[in-house]
Each structure stands twice: as C-alpha cells, then as structure tokens.
Amino acid sequence: MFDVNKIRKDFPILNRTVNGKPLVYFDNGATAQKPKAVIDTLTHYYEHQNSNIHRGVHTLSREITIAYEAARNTIQAHINAQHPHEIIFTKGTTESTNMVAYCFGKINISEGDEIIITQMEHHSNIVPWQLLCEEKKAVLKYIPINQAGELILEELPKLITSKTKLVAFTHISNTLGTINPIKEITKTVRSLSQAAVLIDGAQAVPHVKPDVRDIDCDFYAFSGHKLFGPTGVGILYAKESWLNKFPPYQSGGGTIKTVTLEKTEFADSPLKFEAGTPHIAGGVGLAAAIDYVNNIGMDNIHQYEDNLLQYATKKLNEIEGVVIYGNAKSKASVIAFNVSNIHPFDIGTLLDKYGIAIRSGHHCTQPLHQFYNIPGTVRASFAFYNTIEEIDLFIEALKKSILLLS
C-alpha cells in the first residue's frame, strides 16, 4: 500500500516551516529532498568508513571499496545495464554529457558531420554540442516541437543523413514534463543510420525506471540529487563498445595501469574515466536512494504522482488568466505556467511568503521559452511525498498572490 503520510515521515526537511508556514516543496525538478535512509548512509560513511577507495589494503579502505563497487552494481541493476563497468560515476548529468561530447568528439566527429538534438533540451544537452560543432565545424540540427510541447517526430527521418553521427535528446522535459517516446526515437535512428544515441535522463529517473538495454541507447545520463540522493554525484551509462574506444576524459590518479617517464598505459573502464578521488559518500548515498525508491515501487510512485499532476492541472485551469505550457499526452508531474501579465519572479516571491517553494525563470531551457515567445514560466514540480492538501494550499496562495499583483 502506498501511504504518503508514512513516506513523509522519512523526509526530515518536510517538518520545517518557512516564513511561519509549513514548507510546501514543489521545486523537485531542481533537486529532490533526501530520505533519512540516504542521510544515515552519508553519516555512517563519514563516522565509520571514511577512507579512500581502490588503493588501500587496510580495513577501512577495503570496506568502503566493497561498498562503493556494490553501489555501482545497484545502479547497474536499476537501469538494467549489461555490465557494472558500463556505469561511470560523474558529478552529474552535465558532466556525463560533457564527457561524451569530449570523448565522442575526439574519435567520431569531423568537419561536415551532423549531431541532432531537440528544441526542448536543457542547456546541458545543448551547449556541449554547440561547442563541439563549432570546434569540429560540424552541423547541429534540432527536432522541432508543437504547441502541446511534443516532439514533431515525423521530422526526424528528414533530419537524419549519412553524416549523422549522434542523436541526443531528453527522456522527460524539465520544463514541460513531456515524456518522450525514447524507445521509438532510438528505433527510428537505428533504422536510418549508424548514429549513436544519448539520452538525458536527469528528469526521468525520479519518476520512471529506465531499461537501457530495452531502449538500446548508447548513453544514458542522470544525476543523483534529482533521484533523492546526494548532490555532486551522477551517472553515465555507456555501452562497453564505446568505452573501449573512448580516450580518458580526465587523467591522473586512479585512471592508470602503469606510468613511466615516457608513457602511460590506462586502466580499463570504469577506472579509466574516474580520475582522482570520487564523491565516495555520494556513490553509496545514491545507491541508498535507489534502494529506497525501489522499496516503494517505481510504478506506485508514477501512479501517485500522476494523480497529483491531474489534480493540480485541473485546479490551475480553473484560475482565470493561467496559461499552462506543455500539454503532452504523456507527461510527468511537472507544470509550467504563467498568469496574465504577471512576471514569474513576482509569483515565486509571493508564494515563498506562504511557505511554498516553486521555481520561476527559464529553467535552463531558453530556446524552449523562445519557441513560446515568453521570457520565463512558473514551474511546480511534484514528488511522491507531496500531497493533495499541499496542492490546495498552493492554489489558495496563488490566488491571493494574483490578487495582490493584479
């Protein structure tokens, strides 16, 4: 049974007040809150296991090395990767994407080659490809979107040519909540080209459980902090065939087999791509977060959050002047909206006075907002620890804010 009141007790921060009001946290798209199980895992590491991994023969080092590699195995199982060495620990989705851009660009992008992304991408899945295309004199193309915030997928076959080397796209839009048909897109790419496929899963992993082998993507990137885990840790899944060909992204301690004054021989994946001391606590903390959500059940989470989304959408549509951006048929629990001529920042500032945390701005998707010809939006993003009662508080506070700002 899904018991939201029981779940809320696992998140200490939900007990606090903001401006004398109970905290209503609707900024989960920016970062999610952490359950006690994750917090306790971090504390246990620093109090009982703090040591470096892979290099020591003493007890603490051996213990945390085993725990860290067990965390890698947990992540491998969660996304159904074939091998644990296909799981690379990074700082987050941004670094994961930049790693692929650097390594892939080194071996597989030449002048005139093409990369395809979409009009709804987060800047982290736009800027690295822009820079790579500028450096290599390659061509960057975009899959357009419609007014509902869905990809116009019939345009994809027209964009793919013999020079297409990579197609990169988001699993779930961080602004619109659109859930893209990633398996269908990947299948289309495979049928028309030899291009690699990268998926930005940052916004997806809190809501759904990706199966990278079923999707058949080459790369899948996500961050720990959006999956109820620590900040500063993320994952790049990459097929073994690519990792065997990629040069190191960074070099130094931990990446090598042998070093002489003349030459360095690099270790195999994943060590080849994990230079220096990693965020060890973050790695084991992320595994604890994955265990936590799997214990609740990702299907249960998705169903509950969909109920929140439908309820909040209905309530917002009842308010005069509210315009919701993104009405895809398949959508996660994210709502971006504006109110008449009121600036999103003004809405966000007043909602905070009522203890309600939302996000206002362009959400690192400026090209998407340019498509709608707006400077920004108010974004409410829900997690499985949010409630219908909190949505009611949000709606009442929004109505009061509109009255004050009109």
Side-chain angles (χ1 to χ4, degrees):
M1 293 290 292
F2 186 94
D3 185 345
V4 68
N5 293 317
K6 181 180 178 182
I7 287 169
R8 286 178 64 83
K9 294 177 182 177
D10 293 335
F11 291 83
I13 200 169
L14 299 181
N15 294 319
R16 72 160 290 178
T17 58
V18 172
N19 293 319
K21 307 286 186 180
L23 170 65
V24 174
Y25 188 80
F26 286 172
D27 195 20
N28 295 286
T31 195
Q33 298 303 339
K34 320 306 174 193
K36 193 73 162 51
V38 171
I39 296 168
D40 288 347
T41 297
L42 302 181
T43 301
H44 179 79
Y45 166 69
Y46 286 117
E47 288 186 346
H48 301 285
Q49 296 176 308
N50 184 46
S51 183
N52 217 324
I53 57 171
H54 297 149
R55 304 178 184 118
V57 296
H58 59 82
T59 298
L60 293 185
S61 180
R62 286 188 287 109
E63 282 183 0
I64 195 56
T65 296
I66 291 169
Y68 192 74
E69 292 306 321
R72 196 189 305 273
N73 292 339
T74 295
I75 296 156
Q76 173 208 351
H78 183 71
I79 65 172
N80 196 30
Q82 188 166 3
H83 306 292
H85 56 259
E86 294 177 319
I87 304 299
I88 310 299
F89 282 107
T90 67
K91 289 190 297 186
T93 309
T94 300
E95 184 177 54
S96 296
T97 307
N98 276 273
M99 183 185 297
V100 176
Y102 174 85
C103 297
F104 193 89
K106 281 280 189 182
I107 66 170
N108 215 43
I109 297 292
S110 302
E111 184 175 348
D113 285 340
E114 299 168 351
I115 295 171
I116 299 173
I117 60 175
T118 86
Q119 204 170 5
M120 66 170 63
E121 296 308 312
H122 189 282
H123 295 165
S124 295
N125 204 29
I126 298 177
V127 180
W129 310 118
Q130 288 180 337
L131 292 175
L132 178 59
C133 287
E134 287 174 9
E135 177 189 349
K136 296 286 187 173
K137 298 182 180 178
V139 178
L140 189 60
K141 298 179 175 180
Y142 296 85
I143 305 171
I145 63 171
N146 59 28
Q147 286 294 320
E150 298 169 320
L151 294 175
I152 306 175
L153 289 179
E154 52 265 35
E155 294 297 314
L156 177 57
K158 302 174 189 176
L159 294 170
I160 295 174
T161 73
S162 60
K163 290 188 171 293
T164 304
K165 293 297 182 73
L166 181 87
V167 181
F169 50 92
T170 185
H171 190 163
I172 294 179
S173 167
N174 72 303
T175 299
L176 305 176
T178 303
I179 304 176
N180 287 319
I182 58 174
K183 188 175 178 180
E184 177 188 334
I185 297 171
T186 302
K187 188 175 180 181
T188 299
V189 174
R190 296 276 185 254
S191 68
L192 296 173
S193 72
Q194 299 297 313
V197 171
L198 177 142
I199 298 174
D200 175 352
Q203 292 293 327
V205 288
H207 309 293
V208 296
K209 189 173 183 176
D211 184 329
V212 294
R213 278 194 276 179
D214 182 58
I215 299 163
D216 192 29
C217 56
D218 297 276
F219 311 102
Y220 194 98
F222 65 94
S223 300
H225 71 100
K226 297 183 194 292
L227 186 52
F228 315 98
T231 57
V233 66
I235 296 299
L236 172 65
Y237 157 77
K239 283 184 176 178
E240 181 180 37
S241 57
W242 284 112
L243 294 174
N244 289 339
K245 291 184 282 190
F246 276 1
Y249 174 56
Q250 296 176 320
S251 58
T255 64
I256 58 91
K257 281 184 181 177
T258 61
V259 177
T260 68
L261 293 179
E262 292 77 27
K263 184 175 176 59
T264 294
E265 182 183 7
F266 289 97
D268 296 328
S269 179
L271 297 183
K272 179 168 125 179
F273 303 101
E274 295 179 354
T277 298
H279 186 3
I280 301 169
V284 295
L286 176 53
I290 288 174
D291 287 340
Y292 180 83
V293 295
N294 281 331
N295 187 54
I296 295 171
M298 293 304 297
D299 289 341
N300 293 330
I301 288 172
H302 183 73
Q303 182 178 351
Y304 179 79
E305 289 178 343
D306 189 61
N307 291 336
L308 294 178
L309 173 66
Q310 300 306 323
Y311 183 80
T313 301
K314 178 178 179 294
K315 290 295 184 180
L316 281 169
N317 279 328
E318 292 171 356
I319 301 175
E320 185 178 353
V322 167
V323 177
I324 294 176
Y325 299 92
N327 295 286
K329 295 182 183 70
S330 183
K331 187 174 175 179
S333 54
V334 177
I335 305 176
F337 67 94
N338 278 329
V339 184
S340 299
N341 295 317
I342 302 174
H343 198 283
F345 288 161
D346 293 335
I347 294 285
T349 301
L350 281 186
L351 287 176
D352 180 61
K353 302 301 181 185
Y354 296 97
I356 296 166
I358 55 88
R359 180 68 48 150
S360 54
H362 55 67
H363 320 304
C364 295
T365 56
Q366 285 184 317
L368 177 62
H369 284 80
Q370 290 159 10
F371 169 79
Y372 286 111
N373 197 29
I374 51 176
T377 51
V378 180
R379 185 185 68 185
S381 48
F382 312 116
F384 58 85
Y385 44 64
N386 293 129
T387 66
I388 294 293
E389 292 76 18
E390 286 183 317
I391 292 173
D392 288 337
L393 290 172
F394 160 64
I395 293 296
E396 289 307 308
L398 178 61
K399 290 177 179 177
K400 292 176 182 177
S401 299
I402 293 170
L403 282 174
L404 284 171
L405 294 166
S406 298

